[in-house]
Amino acid sequence: MASLSTLAFTAGMASANEAPAPAPTDDVTDVVVYAPLRDSQLAALREQRNADNLVSVIASDTVGRFPDQNSAAALSRLPAVAVQRDQGQERYIQVRGAPNRWTSVSFDGVPVIGVDEGGAGRAFRFDAVPAVILQSLAVNKSLTPDLPAEAVVAQIDLRTYSPMNRKGYDVQGELGLGQMELGEGEQRQGSLRGAWSNGTFGVMAAVSHYRREQITDNREFAYDTNHVLSSFDARNYRLVRENNGASLGLEWRPAEGHELFLKWVSSEFNDDEERNHYTFQLGSALSGTRTATGGDLVGVPVRSTAEFGEYRTKNELTTLGGQHALNDGWGLSWRLNSTKMTNDTYLPLLMQNQQLNPLLRPSISYKLDDPNFPIISLYKTVTGATAGTYARGAATTGFDQSAFDFNIALPIVSNIKADSWTAKADLTRDTGNWVYKLGYQHDHREIEGNTMGQPTVILTALLPRIGQSDLKASDYVTGEAWSTGFPLGISLNYLDNRKMRNDMETRLNALAAAGLYNPAANIDPTSRYDITEKLTAGYGMAKVVFDGGQVVFGARVETMNQRIAGFTKSGTVITPLVVENDYTDLFPSINAKFDLSDKIVLRGAIQRGIARPSFGAIRTGASINDTSSPGTISGGNPYLKPEYTWGTDVSFEYYIAKDSVASAGFFYRKVDNVLYDSKTKITTDAYDANGLDRTGYDFTSTLNGDNGKLYGLEFNYQQTFSTLPSPFDGLGVSGNLALLDGEFDTPARKGVPFPGTSKTIVNTSVSYEKYGVSARLSYQWRDDWADTLGGLGLGSGGDEYRKAYGNLDLTLRYAVNKNITVFADASNLTDETYIAYEGDVSHPSEVEQIGRRVLVGLRFNY
């Protein structure tokens, strides 16, 4: 599809995903970060037309004119790219509505794998990569043999800045300060990049920082088998989220046609999260009635969960490489890479229940006039007229946040580490109309970690044995009311979660010293995994150029050796288990491009691809989580098969003018062995322990389904109205529309929707650039999509969907002079509420909102 910004593609057979951007030449526009957006789009269209495969790209020039803080937000501007958010912040991307595991990622042409929060996924965390450290981002929608086959719908390349882009000194930076609407937390960002080059040697260093203090409003819901509300959570999160990035680069061109480079990239995402959380367990009331519209209940148990947790994601990549033009049209390109990725989670939870004394439980009446926001009224619970019964007493003005009699401390820990090493070499031969390429790649990956599950339960009743008092959340209730825009009918106050955590750690240390607590037991052995992957690939391809077009064809052979080590548990017996998988596959592909006229390009592609199961899905154990409502149990399956796909792409591109394009495309993917997460209900006591009844918990595991198909249409339009009379010649519009559909079969269900597939995705913007002003109003919208599939026993009624939403953003830039630009960004102007639901919108499972945000500042370049 047509690109939206600039990316320099290597000539000949050098793939778009592997070469550093070349130095500018006299006949190429030098597009820099503060050049007009129109120049960036013009250069992009020129490179789009010359690409060997179907590719969409966006560069730092364009990213800087959107309020995009991380690479996920930047990529979402491209055709058929949707974003998945966590508490309003962009985290993952989905290309063409496909599951995110169908998209692979590389840095500067070197493939990388993701380590996901909680240890369950292989998905790459784009929120850990600040957009400002990147020179460009490319979405390869069709594959050539020199690209990894582990990309069913797209391969994304994140490119760092090259110091050889410009001779002399180049210093650019940005400072910004703003505010979050909900809670009035601070938002700030800054970046600095310096580079120098004399055409032979270049050096570059860059740093970036982004931080915001955020309040998240949240409601979560659970239903009984009759789809009547059985519990709901009132949650309020106080977050401090931070992205930091750094990049170093050295490039040397010792002779004509020879280049050596060394690049180092480090990026991290830090999230400090305070959770204030109360679960009203309506279905466990002592008596009363519940209906679809409300209820009157006596003695409703309430559970409190408080935490001050830490989430840490870090990526570090070091790449040494070179490109060499040899004699007689021969060329050599090579890469050596080391990548280290970590994802650590530390959640010291304090969970309190009204379990022993029924008189502590409030009686509740509630209304569901708006199913997203139950409105409750509270009453005291008193003894009834006869022994052993209870009744509703007098009304109370608020919930007693000290009324708990059973406390559990849960230090939940997840640590995932992935080390990988890659060696890659490509040999090319250019004979004029024919270009040949042979390549070899070897990836060695070692992944060690655990899924996030239930730790050893620490009963605070043990504390008096070492002279310590019990931990009680009531001791940490403050006088500060929740900052919230969600109605509830009662008010709640924040806890001092930071002090609570410090006191918990002090007591846990004392328990450990007394031999009553073993920190090593916090991670259940059945949630651990140790996986080694050795992937070896060889490939050959050729490009033939003829009057009016070209064809690129070839094949890739990949051999995977996978060793999965973990533990199984039967009763109290824990047994180590090792499973090895070995398989070899052939992945042919062909990409054709035809110039039907000087303005019309027709493209077509056929390819075979693969998607491998996530790390948590192929582990050899099951993990338990008692802190969600309902609780969850997840299990692994080391014998899962990879997904295989055959696909085709066709696109038609009409270049209206040198800076304008209209295009349309179609794609189709046939998938075998579709992976899907199945959710069923626990109906036995097999998982009961520590006095906790786990019947009714959700059991989730990954299974192989039958065949599936995903297909869609993509439309893109980009127009600058430079021929209009002044001042209207500064106007521009761009937009893209994706119409998607797909389904797969399981042994129990037919026509199951792919999780993550919105049937409609829209990105559009209106811009104005003239007189030093650059303004852009942009809108993104995606239709409802399935998020989690119901299990075999629940059928489609148990499927969880995400409701459609849109995001409206405004960016304003004014160039004071050629070196200084001031800016203002306003994001989420529609104050979007993100909603998930089970079956239909009258049964919400999650409702969340973070509010609008504004950032102002200046950018400079010298």
Side-chain angles (χ1 to χ4, degrees):
M1 301 303 296
S3 55
L4 299 180
S5 59
T6 186
L7 178 65
F9 290 98
T10 305
M13 289 298 297
S15 298
N17 76 315
E18 69 176 32
T25 58
D26 292 340
D27 60 343
V28 177
T29 303
D30 184 16
V31 181
V32 297
V33 172
Y34 296 99
L37 181 60
R38 184 173 298 180
D39 289 345
S40 175
Q41 293 172 336
L42 187 153
L45 295 183
R46 180 173 59 244
E47 303 300 340
Q48 151 78 22
R49 185 165 181 166
N50 293 332
D52 288 339
N53 60 336
L54 279 75
V55 62
S56 299
V57 295
I58 192 167
S60 58
D61 318 53
T62 307
V63 172
R65 297 174 189 274
F66 286 109
D68 296 335
Q69 177 270 321
N70 64 46
S71 54
L75 284 163
S76 69
R77 307 291 174 181
L78 293 172
V81 177
V83 67
Q84 287 180 270
R85 289 177 167 83
D86 175 71
Q87 299 197 41
Q89 189 168 23
E90 300 85 354
R91 172 162 294 179
Y92 307 109
I93 65 160
Q94 292 177 278
V95 180
R96 294 172 161 174
N100 53 31
R101 67 178 182 276
W102 286 6
T103 298
S104 63
V105 180
S106 62
F107 263 89
D108 292 318
V110 176
V112 296
I113 55 173
V115 287
D116 198 9
E117 179 182 304
R122 193 185 284 257
F124 186 80
R125 288 278 301 268
F126 288 92
D127 57 356
V129 182
V132 295
I133 72 170
L134 300 173
Q135 177 166 296
S136 58
L137 308 89
V139 178
N140 294 286
K141 295 180 180 177
S142 68
L143 300 180
T144 50
D146 53 347
L147 293 171
E150 197 166 1
V152 173
V153 292
Q155 194 277 340
I156 296 175
D157 191 34
L158 308 177
R159 297 188 174 198
T160 57
Y161 185 79
S162 169
M164 305 297 271
N165 278 8
R166 163 183 294 191
K167 286 187 178 181
Y169 291 98
D170 180 14
V171 178
Q172 304 186 28
E174 180 177 271
L175 293 172
L177 188 64
Q179 190 175 73
M180 308 292 295
E181 178 186 35
L182 184 60
E184 299 182 347
E186 180 188 72
Q187 185 183 194
R188 72 187 187 207
Q189 72 179 37
S191 64
L192 180 64
R193 187 182 72 212
W196 175 84
S197 169
N198 62 3
T200 300
F201 181 79
V203 59
M204 180 277 299
V207 293
S208 70
H209 169 76
Y210 174 82
R211 182 179 187 273
R212 75 189 196 193
E213 300 173 2
Q214 175 180 316
I215 296 287
T216 303
D217 260 339
N218 180 277
R219 297 285 186 270
E220 298 192 13
F221 306 82
Y223 302 88
D224 61 21
T225 55
N226 295 317
H227 299 288
V228 176
L229 185 66
S230 59
S231 72
F232 75 91
D233 297 1
R235 303 190 187 199
N236 192 276
Y237 296 87
R238 294 204 284 192
L239 317 175
V240 178
R241 288 189 163 180
E242 185 176 290
N243 287 76
N244 297 301
S247 179
L248 296 173
L250 298 173
E251 295 188 29
W252 180 37
R253 296 177 178 172
E256 182 69 25
H258 294 271
E259 179 176 1
L260 300 172
F261 68 88
L262 175 65
K263 288 192 174 185
W264 172 83
V265 176
S266 177
S267 65
E268 65 178 7
F269 172 81
N270 300 328
D271 182 3
D272 293 338
E273 179 176 299
E274 294 184 56
R275 182 201 294 188
N276 292 264
H277 171 193
Y278 293 89
T279 301
F280 296 85
Q281 298 172 299
L282 308 176
S284 298
L286 298 174
S287 62
T289 59
R290 292 180 293 120
T291 70
T293 58
D296 289 287
L297 301 170
V298 174
V300 175
V302 179
R303 186 176 66 193
S304 167
T305 305
E307 75 172 48
F308 171 43
E310 295 179 356
Y311 301 86
R312 300 289 184 265
T313 300
K314 186 171 183 179
N315 308 316
E316 185 173 335
L317 303 92
T318 304
T319 304
L320 176 67
Q323 296 184 162
H324 310 277
L326 308 177
N327 295 331
D328 298 323
W330 289 93
L332 174 67
S333 174
W334 57 276
R335 302 284 187 274
L336 297 173
N337 172 268
S338 170
T339 297
K340 298 182 182 296
M341 293 187 167
T342 59
N343 189 297
D344 298 324
T345 301
Y346 177 43
L347 300 179
L349 296 178
L350 181 60
M351 188 167 66
Q352 298 194 121
N353 289 279
Q354 297 166 333
Q355 185 165 319
L356 305 176
N357 184 359
L359 296 177
L360 291 177
R361 304 178 182 183
S363 294
I364 294 178
S365 65
Y366 64 96
K367 295 180 180 180
L368 293 173
D369 296 339
D370 182 345
N372 296 327
F373 303 110
I375 304 300
I376 65 176
S377 300
L378 298 182
Y379 306 84
K380 290 185 177 295
T381 299
V382 298
T383 56
T386 60
T389 64
Y390 299 90
R392 189 170 79 179
T396 61
T397 57
F399 176 67
D400 184 356
Q401 292 177 255
S402 65
F404 297 96
D405 56 12
F406 185 79
N407 309 315
I408 300 178
L410 300 174
I412 296 176
V413 178
S414 174
N415 303 115
I416 305 101
K417 180 178 69 172
D419 294 335
S420 62
W421 300 268
T422 299
K424 181 179 180 181
D426 297 316
L427 185 66
T428 61
R429 176 73 193 283
D430 188 346
T431 64
N433 290 341
W434 284 86
V435 181
Y436 305 94
K437 186 173 188 178
L438 294 174
Y440 170 85
Q441 180 176 322
H442 180 77
D443 295 280
H444 182 99
R445 307 164 181 166
E446 295 181 358
I447 307 97
E448 180 180 357
N450 66 284
T451 59
M452 193 183 303
Q454 181 69 42
T456 302
V457 176
I458 308 300
L459 298 179
T460 56
L462 293 174
L463 294 173
R465 294 169 57 180
I466 56 171
Q468 298 281 346
S469 61
D470 285 356
L471 281 170
K472 298 178 181 178
S474 58
D475 295 335
Y476 305 98
V477 178
T478 71
E480 181 184 359
W482 283 10
S483 177
T484 175
F486 283 179
L488 182 60
I490 62 171
S491 63
L492 295 165
N493 289 347
Y494 285 111
L495 303 183
D496 188 343
N497 286 300
R498 295 172 183 260
K499 185 176 187 303
M500 180 270 293
R501 169 175 157 173
N502 289 335
D503 289 348
M504 179 188 296
E505 291 173 338
T506 298
R507 286 161 170 76
L508 291 176
N509 291 335
L511 283 169
L516 300 174
Y517 165 58
N518 179 12
N522 280 339
I523 300 176
D524 191 312
T526 62
S527 72
R528 293 183 182 274
Y529 54 80
D530 189 343
I531 300 173
T532 300
E533 294 183 342
K534 298 178 181 179
L535 181 64
T536 303
Y539 44 92
M541 55 189 290
K543 177 169 76 172
V544 56
V545 180
F546 48 85
D547 289 342
Q550 65 176 48
V551 177
V552 179
F553 61 94
R556 181 183 185 94
V557 178
E558 290 190 352
T559 297
M560 168 63 81
N561 174 267
Q562 192 177 59
R563 182 182 184 274
I564 307 165
F567 300 91
T568 60
K569 188 175 183 181
S570 177
T572 59
V573 179
I574 298 174
T575 305
L577 176 65
V578 176
V579 176
E580 293 196 12
N581 298 314
D582 294 276
Y583 49 92
T584 300
D585 295 298
L586 177 68
F587 301 99
S589 66
I590 183 170
N591 284 264
K593 180 178 67 172
F594 303 97
D595 295 314
L596 303 183
S597 72
D598 60 347
K599 291 188 176 184
I600 300 175
V601 175
L602 177 66
R603 298 179 186 269
I606 299 174
Q607 64 189 38
R608 186 172 190 249
I610 188 174
R612 296 183 173 91
S614 65
F615 305 124
I618 57 175
R619 75 188 193 282
T620 58
S623 57
I624 300 171
N625 185 349
D626 290 319
T627 64
S628 61
S629 180
T632 61
I633 302 175
S634 59
N637 180 0
Y639 300 102
L640 284 172
K641 299 177 182 178
E643 297 167 296
Y644 292 98
T645 179
W646 278 100
T648 184
D649 297 84
V650 178
S651 76
F652 180 87
E653 301 164 5
Y654 174 50
Y655 293 87
I656 304 167
K658 63 181 180 180
D659 56 2
S660 303
V661 68
S663 64
F666 169 79
F667 76 92
Y668 182 90
R669 297 290 186 270
K670 178 183 179 296
V671 188
D672 296 327
N673 307 323
V674 173
L675 295 165
Y676 68 100
D677 290 334
S678 175
K679 184 170 67 176
T680 57
K681 290 291 185 182
I682 298 296
T683 58
T684 71
D685 61 359
Y687 293 97
D688 291 354
N690 301 305
L692 292 176
D693 178 7
R694 296 190 173 110
T695 56
Y697 276 28
D698 289 334
F699 179 77
T700 302
S701 185
T702 302
L703 304 174
N704 279 119
D706 297 326
N707 298 332
K709 56 185 177 182
L710 181 70
Y711 51 93
L713 295 170
E714 301 172 0
F715 302 94
N716 186 46
Y717 171 68
Q718 181 178 309
Q719 178 84 57
T720 55
F721 300 101
S722 55
T723 59
L724 291 178
S726 182
F728 304 105
D729 53 344
L731 286 171
V733 297
S734 65
N736 54 77
L737 167 68
L739 303 176
L740 309 169
D741 206 351
E743 60 184 32
F744 67 96
D745 297 332
T746 75
R749 292 177 59 185
K750 303 298 182 183
V752 183
F754 281 109
T757 302
S758 293
K759 292 195 173 183
T760 306
I761 301 173
V762 176
N763 290 302
T764 185
S765 64
V766 179
S767 63
Y768 184 83
E769 280 199 323
K770 196 170 184 181
Y771 309 118
V773 174
S774 177
R776 180 173 287 249
L777 184 67
S778 58
Y779 181 71
Q780 299 174 310
W781 184 84
R782 64 179 302 187
D783 202 358
D784 294 23
W785 73 96
D787 190 46
T788 304
L789 300 179
L792 305 182
L794 294 178
S796 61
D799 292 347
E800 183 181 60
Y801 285 80
R802 293 281 170 174
K803 193 174 184 296
Y805 68 84
N807 276 83
L808 182 66
D809 303 324
L810 174 66
T811 64
L812 299 172
R813 303 284 187 269
Y814 177 69
V816 179
N817 54 46
K818 67 178 183 178
N819 302 117
I820 302 294
T821 299
V822 295
F823 70 85
D825 295 333
S827 302
N828 190 26
L829 290 174
T830 53
D831 194 16
E832 197 66 26
T833 299
Y834 307 105
I835 298 173
Y837 59 89
E838 288 186 11
D840 59 72
V841 292
S842 66
H843 294 88
S845 56
E846 183 179 23
V847 180
E848 193 168 76
Q849 191 173 42
I850 67 166
R852 303 173 182 86
R853 63 183 190 269
V854 177
L855 186 76
V856 297
L858 64 87
R859 309 179 76 189
F860 57 89
N861 66 287
Y862 294 93

